[in-house]
Amino acid sequence: MVKRVGPAYDHLGIVPLQTVLIISLIKQRKTVDTLSYKTISANKATANKEWVVVDAADMVVGRLASKVAKLLRGKLKPNYTPHVDCGDNVIILNADKVRLTGNKWNDRLFFYHSGYPGGRTDITPAELMAKKPEKLVERAVKGMLPKNRLGRQLFRNLFVYAGGEHKHEAQQPKVIDINAIK
């Protein structure tokens, strides 16, 4: 029952403020409803991590690395959570058969530093490929991961091999076509 405060507003058709407040409170009580769905965030226990094998033969390094970084982060999964390691463990084979476009084999320079004055060492991708072919692919993928604790954890899920053999048969990895990934 709604009680009117006074007859002063009857001729204007205006309802007093107290009446409006009481009616709105009654409506709120009747229409309170909870959501039937909730956003589910993945955590370490609920992350569905798989082992996948990628063949890198005759693939461009940067394009390969960007797709592998998506797999490592788990961005292709429906339960992707940005702050959790919910990506797959990725095994890259034939890292010695990757390619670079243009004249990057000789024009591009990577460098590292010993920490001493004058301790900078430059190396081209061709020299790096001759020494350690896995490092070229690892470096490209690492550059496409977050630069924080999560990125370092995700990088531990990457295994790169120069040949066509790997030592992770016990995990029963699934062979995927990396070109099918967007």
Side-chain angles (χ1 to χ4, degrees):
M1 182 167 99
V2 176
K3 182 180 177 185
R4 295 203 166 211
V5 176
Y9 299 104
D10 284 343
H11 68 284
L12 297 174
I14 299 173
V15 181
L17 185 61
Q18 271 185 324
T19 308
V20 172
L21 289 175
I22 292 170
I23 291 172
S24 66
L25 287 173
I26 292 170
K27 284 182 180 178
Q28 283 177 1
R29 221 176 316 155
K30 287 182 180 176
T31 61
V32 172
D33 192 14
T34 58
L35 291 174
S36 62
Y37 58 89
K38 292 189 180 194
T39 302
I40 299 170
S41 292
N43 57 28
K44 213 174 213 181
T46 62
N48 184 14
K49 296 177 73 70
E50 297 175 350
W51 285 80
V52 295
V53 175
V54 175
D55 186 14
D58 296 325
M59 294 201 64
V60 179
V61 174
R63 294 173 191 168
L64 169 73
S66 66
K67 292 176 181 181
V68 168
K70 282 183 188 177
L71 285 172
L72 288 170
R73 288 237 36 209
K75 283 195 159 193
L76 304 172
K77 295 186 175 188
N79 65 343
Y80 167 69
T81 307
H83 64 279
V84 177
D85 175 12
C86 55
D88 296 331
N89 296 301
V90 181
I91 303 165
I92 299 179
L93 301 178
N94 297 318
D96 54 346
K97 295 181 181 133
V98 295
R99 60 188 184 94
L100 291 174
T101 58
N103 200 19
K104 293 180 189 135
W105 284 112
N106 299 315
D107 290 350
R108 180 169 284 172
L109 282 178
F110 300 135
F111 73 90
Y112 52 92
H113 204 283
S114 67
Y116 290 98
R120 177 176 161 155
T121 304
D122 294 331
I123 189 169
T124 64
E127 295 167 353
L128 186 62
M129 183 64 90
K131 273 176 126 175
K132 295 181 180 178
E134 305 91 12
K135 291 291 180 190
L136 185 64
V137 176
E138 285 177 359
R139 184 183 175 99
V141 172
K142 189 173 188 175
M144 296 184 187
L145 292 175
K147 279 63 173 180
N148 53 24
R149 281 181 287 180
L150 178 63
R152 291 188 293 275
Q153 175 61 42
L154 293 172
F155 187 68
R156 288 187 204 115
N157 297 333
L158 176 68
F159 304 92
V160 183
Y161 297 100
E165 298 294 321
H166 62 88
K167 59 181 182 178
H168 305 283
E169 292 298 331
Q171 279 72 32
Q172 300 170 349
K174 183 173 62 170
V175 178
I176 63 166
D177 180 24
I178 199 77
N179 293 322
I181 296 173
K182 292 182 183 178

